[in-house]
């Protein structure tokens, strides 16, 4: 199901057919460095990640992490979406791209579209963001999106301090 589109990208809900892409994305070096190893070793592991993560969130909340693909070729390049996490008062926006697609404005384009979707379609009153304090590219993107640093926080299950943006 299509969530939104931009000039170059489509943002849609994940399906179980996206498991091979999830294996690639969640095992990419930057994912493991900044988001952690999710131990996705097989396509079945990737399907379980989708079932317990994005697909469950769609059913429970009506939103979640979405697949980001190039509009011209339908090539999956990453994810962006809205997450309600324990320990955060408000929904947060998240994003991750395969390394070969970074530095081309895709993360900004997709995440801005997801923020617009959250505010204008879902009518969420507040959307925040979190990123590791050492993830300079994500911090810069959050600022470019108009979010402002608010605090340094810790969340259960995440061993590194996180920068909270509002």
């Amino acid at each position: 199901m299509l969530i939104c589109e931009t000039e170059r990208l489509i943002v849609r809900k994940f399906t179980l057919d996206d498991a091979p892409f999830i294996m690639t994305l969640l095992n990419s070096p930057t994912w493991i460095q900044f988001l952690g190893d999710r131990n996705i070793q097989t396509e079945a592991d990737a399907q379980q990640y989708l079932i317990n993560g994005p697909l469950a969130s769609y059913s429970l909340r009506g939103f979640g992490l979405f697949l980001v693909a190039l509009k011209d070729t339908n090539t999956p390049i990453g994810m962006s979406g809205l997450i309600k996490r324990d320990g955060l008062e408000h929904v947060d926006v998240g994003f991750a791209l395969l390394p070969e697609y970074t530095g081309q404005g895709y993360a900004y384009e997709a995440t801005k579209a997801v923020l617009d979707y959250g505010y204008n379609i879902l009518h969420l009153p507040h959307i925040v963001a979190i990123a590791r304090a050492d993830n300079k590219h994500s911090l810069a993107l959050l600022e470019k999106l108009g979010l402002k640093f608010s605090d340094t926080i810790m969340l259960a299950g995440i061993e590194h301090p996180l920068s909270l943006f509002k």
Side-chain angles (χ1 to χ4, degrees):
M1 178 182 149
L2 183 69
I3 297 300
C4 53
E5 59 184 284
T6 68
E7 183 179 327
R8 302 182 297 165
L9 304 171
I10 58 170
V11 179
R12 66 162 173 83
K13 288 185 175 180
F14 278 105
T15 70
L16 290 180
D17 292 337
D18 297 314
F21 170 71
I22 285 296
M23 280 184 59
T24 302
L25 179 64
L26 273 62
N27 286 299
S28 67
T30 50
W31 181 287
I32 291 172
Q33 178 183 0
F34 293 117
L35 298 171
D37 188 348
R38 298 292 195 268
N39 199 28
I40 306 295
Q41 303 304 319
T42 66
E43 192 167 317
D45 293 338
Q47 287 178 338
Q48 282 305 304
Y49 170 86
L50 288 166
I51 289 167
N52 297 326
L55 301 181
S57 184
Y58 305 155
S59 295
L60 183 65
R61 296 191 172 86
F63 58 82
L65 291 168
F66 305 119
L67 181 132
V68 176
L70 298 176
K71 189 186 280 188
D72 292 345
T73 62
N74 205 32
T75 303
I77 66 167
M79 67 169 68
S80 184
L82 301 164
I83 308 138
K84 181 60 185 100
R85 299 178 201 267
D86 291 339
L88 284 180
E89 180 181 359
H90 301 293
V91 170
D92 78 283
V93 66
F95 51 88
L97 295 182
L98 290 171
E100 57 267 35
Y101 294 100
T102 61
Q104 300 172 60
Y106 293 131
Y108 175 83
E109 193 172 322
T111 306
K112 181 171 183 341
V114 166
L115 285 168
D116 290 345
Y117 173 78
Y119 287 124
N120 300 322
I121 304 300
L122 299 177
H123 305 289
L124 296 171
H126 303 284
I127 302 174
V128 300
I130 55 173
R132 279 188 34 177
D134 61 342
N135 189 342
K136 302 302 183 201
H137 294 290
S138 288
L139 299 176
L141 177 59
L142 294 174
E143 289 180 354
K144 184 176 178 181
L145 287 163
L147 297 164
K148 305 290 182 218
F149 174 80
S150 172
D151 201 359
T152 299
I153 62 169
M154 296 294 295
L155 289 180
I158 300 176
E159 61 189 52
H160 299 281
L162 299 169
S163 296
L164 174 67
F165 285 74
K166 296 182 175 179

